């Protein structure tokens, strides 16, 4: 066995084999895979092995398309062919109009990745799958490339190609310990000896946290027992003369695909159960859980009703095995938070179908630092301190019970709620607040007009429209107050802080005490990595502020770029403070009543920061605005948050102060052209393509990404970021919707909503630079005329924040 290598991948299922193979494809051949038993002896071997193109966003569609293309290539390899039923087709059924609307949206998302889905009615579903009944059925989504593959053959084919490229695989080699050294390299200890390496990859399936514990971390991954059975032969299948399409049914919580001349039928029962929460038997290898068909009786009855042929055949084999889940159902593929040279590819509940693409994107991140797509939707750092195994289990159960029922816009399900709260959460709830969830935080979404008010979730404007309109009006005409919890906040200090910040940001960052600036950090490819505000406090302290979801992401990026000879310290205050935003033309009047000092425009102009007291509560106050109105961000220690809130509410009563929520903020920021990180700001585009060239200073001696950004200028823009106004008032666009010109996709919507102050249906999008006229945006599958406009639709001279 080798004693030194560049990368050690731990785990020999689809995740590990795909990562190993793709590392060799990226040019790294000095790589090793360790497997405690035989390849595919964990979850992979008993996978139902469906391979679909369907994804909730373009990154997921793209990685699944890569899987399909790779598997097709492997199946056609004359030297080592594998069994892959490619292009049988598949249908996702629907019995509600909201589901059908969602399918129209997802078809538009896929179109932007050159993937064709088709929304079909109930009769067409039955025509394409003659075994189903159309009772209680509206229609479905057709995926022409749906299919299934032999999981063991797939992994062996990937392993074979990796070996041919120089990689080595050691079976029956359990890892016993991991040691990280001062230079961030690793020693992987095994029962057969040690291997020194630069990088470690955890690809351990349901044993993920056994290896994670060796690193001193825990991943939000748990397992669910999942059952399927194989039927005896079904005459109708034999007589059909073609393979049956795959079927996924949110109505009855089951799926099926053809297996020989019968069916493989899998169940997502409501009476489901987690597995392995208290540890996993070391001897659980190529093993299954006990059969428990009684648990799926209710689902089975629904499957019988949808497919009567199931009642006329016998069960040949029952399989009940563990599959892994994360908090949101998507896998964790990328850097392990707070660790150097450590990556994971875990939580792959649909591992076989997606695994080829996941390994492809992970290998790119390991070798190049970034992948060809923005991978935030699968980044392990999207979950932070709240992400324990107990929360994961609750969300896994809920996700399992709703396997084929996607989240509708603004829908937040109940399991695992209140993971992160402040002292104001119950106070705001008593005021009628409905909450959204941001990185686990319960954040006020809007205030319900009556206690029994409920929202009808769907793709059209609904009952909340007028509620948000009233909140925006209050902010525009008087004064509003909202809580922004979880905002990412680091305190930076050190004698080398200024040169460090100058290197991290691509533009000029103010160093003047008492001033605030906005800037952008790039990756080594010259594309957008992060957006942050810098607030300069007395005594050389600097507050770095960014999106709530960026807590682990930004800490990793900053700390990894501190040079060994630099004196820079970073302390997180993210979970110690909360922001109260006071916004509107009467905001100064309210602030003046509760905070000593001169708050006039001359004494405290726009983009100022000052330490003060709100009543008795210490605070850091910034004159900044995400709404476009005159506004203050009031950063308060959590221990004094309630006191500050009471003081502001009392002072605001005489000025018509009203609470407003995140929906109102989103409406207003779109009217100003302000961006959301990981919606409108992604790693696929540079600041010039993102229409942020004004924040770039190429005259600076150096900054991260400068060389790549200068090189990119000679090739021109790949895309350009634009603001669109849609000629429609019944529904907003959704992120991922396609922008079309003359029948061809020319771009993708990044975020959208109604602008209540301007009365416009607004969308932001990346489009081809030459696409300027005759644009359409596909909204719920229907083309809506759209035109490009100046990004700032409200107060374009920015007079209000400066007033």
């Amino acid at each position: 066995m080798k004693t030194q290598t560049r990368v050690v991948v731990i785990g020999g299922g689809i995740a590990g084999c795909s990562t190993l193979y793709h590392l060799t494809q990226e040019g790294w051949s000095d790589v090793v895979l360790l497997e405690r038993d035989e390849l595919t002896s964990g979850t992979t071997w008993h996978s139902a092995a469906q391979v679909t193109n369907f994804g909730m966003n373009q990154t997921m569609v793209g990685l699944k398309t890569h899987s399909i293309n790779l598997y097709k290539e492997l199946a056609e390899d004359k030297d080592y062919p594998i069994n892959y039923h490619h292009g049988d087709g598949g249908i996702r059924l629907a019995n509600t109009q909201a589901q059908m609307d969602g399918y129209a949206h997802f078809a538009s998302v896929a179109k932007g990745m050159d993937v064709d889905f088709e929304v079909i009615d109930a009769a067409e579903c039955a025509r394409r799958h003659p075994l189903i009944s159309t009772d209680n059925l509206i229609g479905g989504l057709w995926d022409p490339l749906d299919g299934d593959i032999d999981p063991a053959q797939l992994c062996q084919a990937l392993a074979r190609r990796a070996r041919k490229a120089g990689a080595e695989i050691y079976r029956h080699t359990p890892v016993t310990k991991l040691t990280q050294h001062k230079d961030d390299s690793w020693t992987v200890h095994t029962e057969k000896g040690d291997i020194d390496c630069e990088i470690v990859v955890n690809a351990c399936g349901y044993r993920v946290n056994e290896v994670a514990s060796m690193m001193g971390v825990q991943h939000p991954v748990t397992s669910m027992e999942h059952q399927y059975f194989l039927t005896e032969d079904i005459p109708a299948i034999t007589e059909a003369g073609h393979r049956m399409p795959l079927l996924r049914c949110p109505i009855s919580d089951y799926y099926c695909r053809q297996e020989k001349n019968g069916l493989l039928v899998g169940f997502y029962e409501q009476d489901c159960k987690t597995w392995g929460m208290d540890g996993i038997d070391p001897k659980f290898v190529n093993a299954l859980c006990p059969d428990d068909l009684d648990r799926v009786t209710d689902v089975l009855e629904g499957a019988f009703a949808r497919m009567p042929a199931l009642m006329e055949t016998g069960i040949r084999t029952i399989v009940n095995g563990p599959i892994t889940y994360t908090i949101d159902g998507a896998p964790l593929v990328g850097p392990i938070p707070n660790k150097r040279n450590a990556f994971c590819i875990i939580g792959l509940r649909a591992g076989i179908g997606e695994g080829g693409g996941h390994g492809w994107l992970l290998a790119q991140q390991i070798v190049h630092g970034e992948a060809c797509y923005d991978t935030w939707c699968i980044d392990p750092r999207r979950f932070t301190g709240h992400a324990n195994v107990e929360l994961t289990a609750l969300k896994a159960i809920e996700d399992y019970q709703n396997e084929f029922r996607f989240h509708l816009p603004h829908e937040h399900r109940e399991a695992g709620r209140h993971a992160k709260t402040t002292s104001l959460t119950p106070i705001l709830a008593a005021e009628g607040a409905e909450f959204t969830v941001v990185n686990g935080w319960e954040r006020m979404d809007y205030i319900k007009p009556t206690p029994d008010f409920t929202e009808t979730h769907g793709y059209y404007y609904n009952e909340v429209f007028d509620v948000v309109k009233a909140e925006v009006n209050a902010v525009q005409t008087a004064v509003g107050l909202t809580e922004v919890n979880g905002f990412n906040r680091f305190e930076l200090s050190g004698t080398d802080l200024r040169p460090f910040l100058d290197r991290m940001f691509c533009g000029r960052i103010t160093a003047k005490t008492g001033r605030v600036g906005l800037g952008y950090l790039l990756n080594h490819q010259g594309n957008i990595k992060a957006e942050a505000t810098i607030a300069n406090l007395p005594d050389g302290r600097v507050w770095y502020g960014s999106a709530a979801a960026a807590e682990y992401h930004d800490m990793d990026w900053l700390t990894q770029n501190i040079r060994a000879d630099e004196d820079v310290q970073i302390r997180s205050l993210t979970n110690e403070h909360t922001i109260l935003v006071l916004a509107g033309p009467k905001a100064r009047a309210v602030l003046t009543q509760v905070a000593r000092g001169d708050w006039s425009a001359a004494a405290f102009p726009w983009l100022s920061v000052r330490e003060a007291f709100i009543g008795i509560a210490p605070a850091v106050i910034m004159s900044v605005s995400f709404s476009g109105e005159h506004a203050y961000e009031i950063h308060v220690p959590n221990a004094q948050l309630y006191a500050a809130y009471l003081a502001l509410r009392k002072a605001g009563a005489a000025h018509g102060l009203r609470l407003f929520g995140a929906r109102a903020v989103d409406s207003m920021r779109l009217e100003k052209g302000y961006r959301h990180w990981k919606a409108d700001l992604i790693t696929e585009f540079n600041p010039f393509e993102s229409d942020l060239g004004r924040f770039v200073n190429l005259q600076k001696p150096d900054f991260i990404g400068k060389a790549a950004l200068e090189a990119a200028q000679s090739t021109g823009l790949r895309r350009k970021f634009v603001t669109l106004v849609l000629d429609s008032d019944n529904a907003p666009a959704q992120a991922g919707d396609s922008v079309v010109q003359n029948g061809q996709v020319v771009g993708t919507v990044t975020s959208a909503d109604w602008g209540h102050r301007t009365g416009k249906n607004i969308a932001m999008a990346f489009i081809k630079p030459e696409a300027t006229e005759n644009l359409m945006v596909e909204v719920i599958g229907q083309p809506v005329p759209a035109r490009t406009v100046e990004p700032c639709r409200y107060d374009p001279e920015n007079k209000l924040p400066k007033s």
Side-chain angles (χ1 to χ4, degrees):
M1 189 170 75
K2 294 175 76 168
T3 58
Q4 182 126 12
T5 191
R6 196 163 196 179
V7 181
V8 170
V9 179
I10 307 172
I14 181 59
C17 291
S18 177
T19 302
L20 190 75
Y21 165 73
H22 284 99
L23 284 170
T24 67
Q25 293 298 292
E26 296 297 327
W28 285 17
S29 58
D30 183 16
V31 291
V32 164
L33 184 148
L34 303 178
E35 164 55 43
R36 69 191 299 274
D37 197 84
E38 288 285 355
L39 297 183
T40 76
S41 60
T43 296
T44 299
W45 76 272
H46 62 74
S47 169
Q50 300 168 98
V51 184
T52 174
N53 247 334
F54 181 80
M56 301 297 289
N57 54 59
Q58 289 192 332
T59 295
M60 295 302 293
V61 173
L63 68 86
K64 291 183 178 187
T65 297
H66 176 83
S67 295
I68 289 171
N69 292 337
L70 172 62
Y71 298 171
K72 191 170 187 294
E73 179 191 339
L74 293 172
E76 294 171 351
D77 186 339
K78 294 180 180 178
D79 294 330
Y80 196 85
I82 63 176
N83 293 325
Y84 176 28
H85 297 119
H86 172 265
D88 287 349
I91 309 173
R92 292 174 184 270
L93 302 179
N95 68 335
T96 70
Q97 188 56 51
Q99 288 171 319
M100 292 295 289
D101 292 341
Y103 290 158
H105 162 63
F106 295 129
S108 186
V109 171
K111 188 186 296 184
M113 301 300 287
D114 295 322
V115 170
D116 292 324
F117 290 156
E118 185 182 357
V119 179
I120 57 179
D121 62 20
E124 185 62 18
C125 289
R127 191 188 71 78
R128 299 186 188 190
H129 199 305
L131 296 185
I132 69 169
S133 161
T134 59
D135 290 347
N136 189 30
L137 184 65
I138 296 178
L141 182 68
W142 172 259
D143 176 1
L145 296 184
D146 218 335
D148 67 272
I149 197 166
D150 185 305
Q153 289 182 356
L154 169 60
C155 291
Q156 293 293 349
L158 292 169
R160 172 179 174 272
R161 287 195 173 190
R163 287 191 183 102
K164 288 181 68 176
E168 297 191 21
I169 297 174
Y170 305 131
R171 298 170 300 141
H172 303 286
T173 308
V175 173
T176 57
K177 183 181 177 182
L178 295 172
T179 301
Q180 190 165 29
H181 307 289
K182 290 184 178 180
D183 64 355
D184 297 321
S185 66
W186 294 85
T187 297
V188 181
H189 307 273
T190 81
E191 292 183 355
K192 295 183 178 179
D194 297 345
I195 304 180
D196 294 324
C197 63
E198 298 174 26
I199 294 168
V200 170
V201 178
N202 186 341
C204 292
Y206 53 66
R207 294 189 184 275
V208 50
N209 279 316
E210 294 178 7
V211 170
S213 66
M214 300 178 192
M215 292 185 181
V217 300
Q218 185 181 64
H219 296 295
V221 177
T222 194
S223 295
M224 301 291 297
E225 286 190 17
H226 177 61
Q227 292 186 99
Y228 65 79
F229 63 62
L230 305 175
T231 74
E232 302 286 357
D233 289 356
I234 297 175
I237 292 178
T238 307
E239 297 163 2
H242 61 82
R243 287 185 59 82
M244 288 290 132
L246 286 81
L247 197 70
R248 297 170 182 87
C249 182
I251 307 165
S252 302
D253 298 311
Y254 81 99
Y255 64 89
C256 72
R257 66 167 175 83
Q258 185 169 336
E259 178 68 16
K260 298 182 179 178
N261 287 321
L263 291 173
L264 182 155
V265 186
F267 305 97
Y268 290 97
E269 69 280 4
Q270 298 302 296
D271 185 23
C272 54
K273 60 188 294 188
T274 58
W275 179 87
M277 291 281 289
D278 298 317
I280 302 168
D281 187 337
K283 297 178 181 178
F284 192 87
V285 176
N286 277 106
L288 293 171
C289 309
D291 300 344
D292 189 6
L293 280 185
D294 288 343
R295 204 168 70 228
V296 302
T297 300
D298 57 335
V299 184
L300 189 57
E301 290 175 355
F304 285 161
R306 181 64 55 201
M307 300 180 69
L310 288 175
M311 292 185 285
E312 301 171 5
T313 188
I315 297 175
R316 180 159 50 88
T317 305
I318 300 172
V319 173
N320 184 19
I323 55 176
T324 55
Y325 278 74
T326 66
I327 289 175
D328 63 1
L332 305 177
V333 179
I336 294 175
N338 307 317
K339 289 290 177 182
R340 303 280 187 92
N341 294 345
F343 295 81
C344 60
I345 177 168
I346 54 180
L348 276 63
R349 76 173 173 189
I352 295 299
E354 302 175 354
H358 289 311
W360 174 55
L361 295 181
L362 180 59
Q364 292 177 52
Q365 293 179 70
I366 292 171
V367 175
H368 307 296
E370 298 282 2
C372 58
Y373 303 139
D374 188 294
T375 58
W376 184 246
C377 64
I378 55 175
D379 195 304
R381 297 166 298 186
R382 69 187 189 274
F383 303 121
T384 56
H386 64 295
N388 54 48
V389 173
E390 283 71 19
L391 173 62
T392 308
L394 290 175
K395 296 303 291 184
I397 291 169
E398 182 181 65
D399 215 21
Y400 189 96
Q401 293 169 333
N402 293 277
E403 178 69 24
F404 300 127
R405 287 184 286 275
F406 49 82
H407 285 74
L408 294 168
H410 301 295
E411 179 190 8
H412 297 284
R413 294 171 182 163
E414 288 303 311
R417 294 294 295 267
H418 305 107
K420 292 180 181 178
T421 60
T422 72
S423 58
L424 295 188
T425 305
I427 307 300
L428 296 173
E431 295 266 17
E434 183 71 22
F435 294 92
T436 184
V437 181
V438 180
N439 188 27
W441 290 96
E442 296 288 330
R443 186 176 292 180
M444 183 163 56
D445 206 20
Y446 60 89
I447 300 295
K448 295 182 287 187
T450 61
D452 59 350
F453 180 88
T454 57
E455 179 177 5
T456 305
H457 292 292
Y459 287 84
Y460 293 89
Y461 292 123
N462 59 20
E463 306 91 343
V464 178
F465 186 91
D466 289 335
V467 176
V468 173
K469 180 179 180 179
E471 291 181 8
V472 170
N473 182 65
V475 174
Q476 183 183 17
T477 60
V479 60
L481 179 67
T482 193
E483 178 193 49
V484 181
N485 47 25
F487 183 78
N488 188 43
R489 184 185 298 95
F490 301 148
E491 186 171 272
L492 283 64
S493 59
T495 57
D496 295 314
L497 178 58
R498 288 301 164 185
F500 169 73
L501 289 175
D502 203 44
R503 190 175 73 253
M504 296 301 297
F505 285 84
C506 65
R508 178 183 174 273
I509 294 294
T510 181
K512 185 178 179 180
T513 300
R515 298 298 289 166
V516 179
L518 175 68
Y520 293 87
L521 298 82
L522 309 185
N523 58 25
H524 294 290
Q525 289 74 24
N527 294 337
I528 298 288
K529 185 74 172 179
E531 176 190 62
T533 55
I534 293 294
N536 298 298
L537 298 170
D539 306 321
R541 290 172 295 136
V542 169
W543 274 19
Y544 171 108
S546 60
E551 181 183 353
Y552 282 3
H553 174 280
D554 285 12
M555 180 63 82
D556 277 356
W557 186 243
L558 293 172
T559 56
Q560 288 170 12
N561 282 289
I562 299 174
R563 293 171 178 166
D565 60 349
E566 283 185 314
D567 174 32
V568 176
Q569 290 82 45
I570 303 176
R571 182 167 71 100
S572 178
L573 304 176
T574 299
N575 298 296
E576 298 176 15
H577 289 68
T578 294
I579 299 173
L580 295 174
V581 173
L582 190 67
K586 298 182 180 180
R588 179 179 285 114
V590 176
L591 182 63
T592 300
Q593 286 185 231
V594 296
R596 285 184 291 112
D598 184 354
W599 298 100
S600 67
F604 194 67
W606 181 56
L607 296 182
S608 294
V609 58
R610 180 191 298 178
E611 292 179 295
F613 284 86
I614 302 297
I616 62 171
V620 171
I621 303 175
M622 302 182 195
S623 178
V624 295
S625 175
F626 200 51
S627 64
E629 303 292 343
H630 183 74
Y632 303 99
E633 282 187 3
I634 303 169
H635 299 244
V636 185
N638 285 339
Q640 284 81 36
L641 180 61
Y642 183 45
Y645 174 80
L646 288 177
L648 290 167
R649 288 303 303 269
K650 183 178 180 180
H655 302 282
L657 183 144
R658 178 169 176 170
L659 296 176
F660 68 100
R663 299 258 193 114
V665 173
D666 210 42
S667 170
M668 291 185 284
R669 68 97 183 171
L670 280 161
E671 292 177 309
K672 292 294 294 181
Y674 297 156
R675 320 293 175 80
H676 263 325
W677 184 70
K678 291 306 178 189
D680 316 302
L681 302 166
I682 59 176
T683 58
E684 295 174 30
F685 302 109
N686 65 46
F688 296 114
E689 293 162 331
S690 302
D691 192 28
L692 296 170
R694 64 193 181 279
F695 291 96
V696 177
N697 180 8
L698 289 173
Q699 303 308 309
K700 290 172 64 171
D702 192 27
F703 56 83
I704 292 175
K706 180 181 178 182
L709 187 58
E710 288 177 324
Q713 283 192 294
S714 63
T715 61
L717 302 180
R718 296 164 294 181
R719 288 286 191 274
K720 67 175 181 180
F721 189 82
V722 298
T723 297
L724 301 166
V725 169
L726 281 58
D727 185 14
S728 169
D729 60 5
N730 66 336
Q734 300 290 332
D737 280 340
S738 287
V739 183
V740 177
Q741 182 186 60
N742 301 324
Q744 300 298 313
V745 175
V746 295
T748 299
V749 171
T750 56
S751 57
D753 206 342
W754 185 266
H756 287 281
R757 294 173 299 192
T758 57
K760 301 296 182 183
N761 194 347
I762 301 172
M764 293 176 168
F766 280 103
I767 66 173
K768 292 182 178 179
E770 66 276 12
T772 57
E773 303 292 335
N774 303 319
L775 298 179
M776 298 278 188
V777 173
E778 293 188 341
V779 178
I780 321 178
Q782 298 301 312
V784 173
R787 68 183 192 279
T788 58
V789 296
E790 289 299 314
C792 186
R793 308 305 303 153
Y794 179 75
D795 185 27
E797 296 180 1
N798 214 34
K799 293 180 179 179
L800 293 174
K802 300 176 183 179
S803 60

